[in-house]
């Protein structure tokens, strides 16, 4: 180790958030060292070529930087949809240079300098040497929480069922007939971002399948693909507070709010049986994939649990998998970076550790910078889901004063109408207060209203809903809340609710259908239903379940029908692209093991698969089996 540096603020990662963190800290008057593993700054908006903003909120440094980027585009006489990545790179470089920020390129964080549980800087490795950088405050802007992980912070990775992370992209760019630079944000498949071998595989696959969804070298003249992966999810560091999707849906106000975010549950998955209960209900049952919402982000989400001297200023901050599908947009990540940079600088100036920082002073600084508004600090929570003709006050009153019987009866009146989805969410949110009024309304209800009441009771896991839900499933009721391809048909939604209750009332129907079903996403619904009830089945029934699981495993082409977001079915369903046979097999093997069959052997084989994300899934399910009932 030949070189040693000392600085006030060390920012690890010069991507979407890290650049803003470094700029903000420097503008606040402290010395900054910025470490970037790549050869250029800017992250996905520059290196991945994702030049169009998708939701998120404006404000702060990004407004100035975007204006500067557009000026560079004019100088180069280059037109682009969104912000030309090369112009944004130039704008970033000029601002970094003007502020005197020292940048260490092509260096990766290898070790955190620790004093007990306090971060004092980091050791980064370049091609030539290791550099020891001591800092008073460090910002983890690595995207995947690498610094916090190395410091020993707890974290989660991927979705709960199998650890699978959000699909990635490697996008091509082209010049259209009007001489405008554009990109196409195709999905390629999955990867485990914490596994460098799998990241390398993901690059190879992305470049091999760059032409897709009807594009060919003859009709799509790309001039670049990538060069950086578009990664949407990695580690999520567990902090002093974990932000959940319900916090945002209710627009819950936090006294330590440092910014707001805004988008929708933008998960590119279609295999919702593998996602959380909340995602299955929000997207599949209620059809709310495109519903826009957002809310406060507390300062505590930036503070990794049990670690001091470190701020998480990237998408790895403390939030759950569902919330992370919304809170990851470029605009919001740029604001998050600015928040962490300002906080780090204020810690330096006040000689305070991040947990000791005066959050009220931080909020005032963020208001001055345009990251927050004064009204953000005094407003009342304003839930996003409202009914036609309502004002925000109607929902605010319920949150402020608590739910009354009249509120429940009023919402029940929407069941069986076009606004049923919103009513179902509120009745679910009200919990036990909804039960008695729903049961009373059920006595005289018929048709669509009866079904709506049954769905509401099903969300609340009430057995009174079972006959109606079972009938919906058996009759294959096909209508659904909207035409989105992620929204489930009613019979599928009914099965989700029956699974959550652990009801075995449709086991015969599922066992019969599973043998002839070819659609992978529906097969996963069946498999998860059988998993939910498998531990309390009689031996004869377990034999039937084992036979059904083996039938799925025997389907050589099952899973090849899976369509990736934006890419459709045009990518060959090879093992390392869009096929989800690995997921079907892993889920069927798990079911086989739960039904006293030899499913572990297949999972152990998948745990040695060449694809890192498959290894992660298999290992996650094997670990889950150890904790399952009757398995130690």
């Amino acid at each position: 180790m030949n070189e040693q540096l000392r600085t006030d603020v060390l920012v690890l990662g010069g991507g979407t958030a890290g650049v803003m963190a470094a700029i903000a800290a420097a503008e606040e008057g402290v010395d900054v060292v910025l470490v970037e593993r790549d050869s250029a700054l800017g992250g996905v908006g520059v290196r991945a070529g994702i030049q169009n903003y998708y939701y998120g909120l404006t404000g702060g440094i990004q407004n100035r930087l975007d204006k500067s980027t557009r000026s560079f585009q004019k100088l180069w006489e280059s037109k682009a949809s969104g912000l030309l990545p090369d112009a944004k790179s130039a704008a970033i470089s000029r601002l970094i240079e003007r502020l005197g920020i020292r940048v260490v390129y092509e260096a990766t964080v290898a070790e955190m300098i620790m004093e007990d549980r306090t971060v004092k800087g980091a050791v980064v490795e370049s091609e030539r040497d290791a550099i020891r950088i001591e800092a008073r405050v460090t910002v983890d802007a690595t995207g995947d929480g690498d610094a916090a992980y190395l410091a020993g912070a707890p974290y989660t990775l991927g979705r709960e069922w199998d650890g699978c992370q959000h699909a990635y992209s490697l996008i091509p760019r082209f010049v259209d007939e009007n001489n405008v630079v554009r990109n196409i944000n195709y999905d390629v498949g999955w990867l485990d971002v914490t596994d460098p071998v799998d990241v390398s595989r993901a690059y190879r696959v992305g470049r091999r399948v760059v032409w897709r969804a009807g594009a060919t070298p003859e009709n799509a003249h790309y001039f670049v693909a990538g060069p950086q992966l578009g990664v949407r999810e990695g580690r999520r560091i567990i902090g002093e507070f974990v932000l959940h999707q319900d916090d945002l849906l209710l627009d819950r106000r936090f006294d330590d709010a440092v910014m707001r975010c805004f988008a929708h549950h933008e998960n590119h998955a279609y295999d919702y049986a593998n996602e959380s209960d909340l995602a299955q209900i929000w997207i599949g049952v209620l059809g709310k994939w495109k519903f826009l919402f957002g809310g406060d982000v507390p300062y505590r989400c930036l503070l990794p649990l049990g670690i001091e001297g470190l701020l998480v200023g990237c998408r790895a901050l403390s939030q759950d998998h569902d919330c992370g599908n919304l809170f990851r947009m470029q605009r919001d990540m740029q604001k998050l970076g600015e928040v962490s940079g300002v906080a780090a600088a204020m810690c330096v100036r006040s000689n305070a550790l991040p947990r000791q920082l005066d959050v009220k002073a931080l909020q005032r600084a963020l208001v001055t910078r345009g990251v927050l508004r004064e009204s953000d600090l005094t407003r009342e929570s304003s839930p996003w889901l409202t009914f036609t003709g309502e004002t925000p006050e109607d929902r605010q009153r319920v949150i402020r004063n608590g739910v009354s019987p009249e509120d429940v009866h009023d919402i029940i009146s929407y069941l069986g109408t076009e606004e049923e989805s919103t009513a179902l969410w509120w009745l679910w949110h009200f919990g036990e207060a909804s039960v008695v009024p729903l049961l009373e309304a059920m006595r005289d209800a018929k048709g669509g209203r009866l079904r709506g009441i049954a769905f509401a009771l099903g969300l609340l896991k009430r057995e009174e809903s079972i006959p109606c839900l079972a009938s919906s499933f058996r009759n294959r009721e096909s209508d659904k809340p909207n035409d989105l391809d992620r929204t489930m048909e009613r019979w599928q939604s009914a099965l989700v609710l029956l699974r959550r209750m652990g009801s075995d009332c449709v086991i015969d129907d599922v066992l019969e259908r599973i043998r002839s079903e070819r659609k992978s996403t529906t097969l996963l619904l069946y498999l998860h239903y059988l998993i939910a009830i498998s531990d309390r089945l009689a031996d004869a029934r377990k034999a039937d379940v084992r036979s059904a699981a083996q039938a799925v495993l025997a389907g050589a082409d099952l899973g090849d029908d899976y369509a990736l977001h934006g890419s459709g079915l045009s990518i060959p369903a090879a093992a390392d692209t869009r096929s989800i046979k690995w997921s079907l097999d892993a889920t069927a093997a798990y079911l086989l093991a739960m039904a006293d069959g030899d499913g572990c052997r297949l999972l152990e084989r998948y745990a040695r698969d060449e694809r890192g994300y498959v290894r992660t899934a298999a290992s996650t399910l094997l670990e889950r089996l150890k904790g399952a009932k009757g398995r130690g």
Side-chain angles (χ1 to χ4, degrees), residues 172-176 182 211 215-224:
R173 292 160 57 205
F174 66 99
V175 180
D176 70 11
R182 299 187 180 276
W211 283 281
T216 69
E218 288 71 36
N219 64 28
H221 306 297
Y222 302 146
F223 65 84
V224 68

Side-chain angles (χ1 to χ4, degrees), residues 461-472:
K461 298 184 178 181
R462 295 290 301 197
E463 291 186 355
E464 293 89 344
S465 66
I466 289 176
C468 189
L469 294 175
S471 175
S472 179

Side-chain angles (χ1 to χ4, degrees), residues 45 128 174 215 288 352 377 389 408 450 465 544 594:
R128 187 191 70 180
F174 66 99
K288 298 290 189 181
L377 304 178
V408 178
L450 175 60
S465 66
D544 293 336
M594 289 294 292

Side-chain angles (χ1 to χ4, degrees), residues 178-426:
N178 297 314
N179 204 33
V180 175
V181 177
R182 299 187 180 276
N183 64 22
I184 307 177
N185 200 352
Y186 294 123
D187 278 358
V188 177
W190 306 271
L191 81 160
D192 183 345
V193 300
T194 67
D195 181 345
V197 175
D198 204 42
V199 172
S200 301
R201 177 202 56 79
Y203 274 109
R204 292 194 302 273
V205 173
R207 287 165 182 152
R208 189 177 73 238
V209 299
V210 64
W211 283 281
R212 51 198 185 274
T216 69
E218 288 71 36
N219 64 28
H221 306 297
Y222 302 146
F223 65 84
V224 68
Q228 180 178 292
L229 296 178
V231 175
R232 300 182 176 94
E233 182 180 14
R235 294 186 195 89
R236 292 182 302 278
I237 304 302
I238 299 173
E240 294 292 328
F241 182 84
V242 179
L243 193 65
H244 294 273
Q245 180 168 310
D246 277 359
D247 294 323
L248 302 181
L249 284 169
L250 291 169
D251 190 30
R252 193 165 278 138
R253 190 170 113 55
F254 294 100
D255 289 339
D256 63 336
V258 286
M259 63 170 288
R260 287 176 63 78
C261 60
F262 182 75
H264 63 95
H265 186 115
E266 216 264 335
N267 186 332
H268 289 192
Y270 295 93
D271 58 334
Y272 273 92
N274 288 328
E275 293 285 331
S276 69
D277 277 3
L278 185 146
Q280 290 181 55
I281 292 167
W282 181 251
I283 307 299
V285 178
L286 304 184
K288 298 290 189 181
W289 187 75
K290 280 194 171 182
F291 186 86
L292 294 167
F293 60 101
D296 285 2
V297 179
Y299 177 65
R300 286 165 292 162
C301 291
L302 281 67
L303 303 175
L305 203 61
I307 303 296
E308 191 50 276
L310 182 69
L311 291 158
V312 181
C314 60
R315 57 176 161 76
L317 87 165
S318 186
Q319 58 179 333
D320 68 5
H321 171 73
D322 290 316
C323 190
N325 287 311
L326 176 146
F327 186 26
R328 61 177 180 79
M329 304 305 162
Q330 283 190 66
R331 283 196 182 281
D332 288 340
M333 289 300 101
Q334 288 175 161
K335 291 182 76 171
L336 176 62
E338 183 168 356
V339 168
S340 64
V342 173
M346 291 181 67
C347 286
V348 170
R349 294 203 311 265
S350 61
N351 196 29
L353 292 169
R355 276 179 180 76
Q356 301 168 341
L357 184 63
D358 182 346
V359 177
K360 298 299 181 185
L362 173 61
Q363 289 172 328
R364 290 193 296 271
L366 294 172
V367 168
T368 300
R369 299 181 69 91
V371 175
L372 279 172
R373 298 174 301 181
E374 285 281 1
S375 58
D376 292 334
L377 304 178
T378 57
R379 66 179 185 82
E380 188 173 356
S381 295
S382 184
W384 291 91
L385 277 90
T386 59
F387 298 96
T388 301
E390 279 194 334
T391 66
E393 168 61 25
D394 293 307
R395 293 295 107 200
Q396 288 174 340
R397 178 185 54 78
V398 173
I399 299 300
R400 182 173 60 246
N401 302 333
V403 60
S404 68
E406 292 75 19
D407 293 320
V408 178
H409 285 292
D410 180 53
I411 290 175
I412 290 174
S413 69
Y414 289 100
L415 297 176
T417 74
E418 291 183 355
E419 298 192 77
E420 179 174 286
S421 290
T422 299
L424 287 172
W425 187 86
W426 276 107

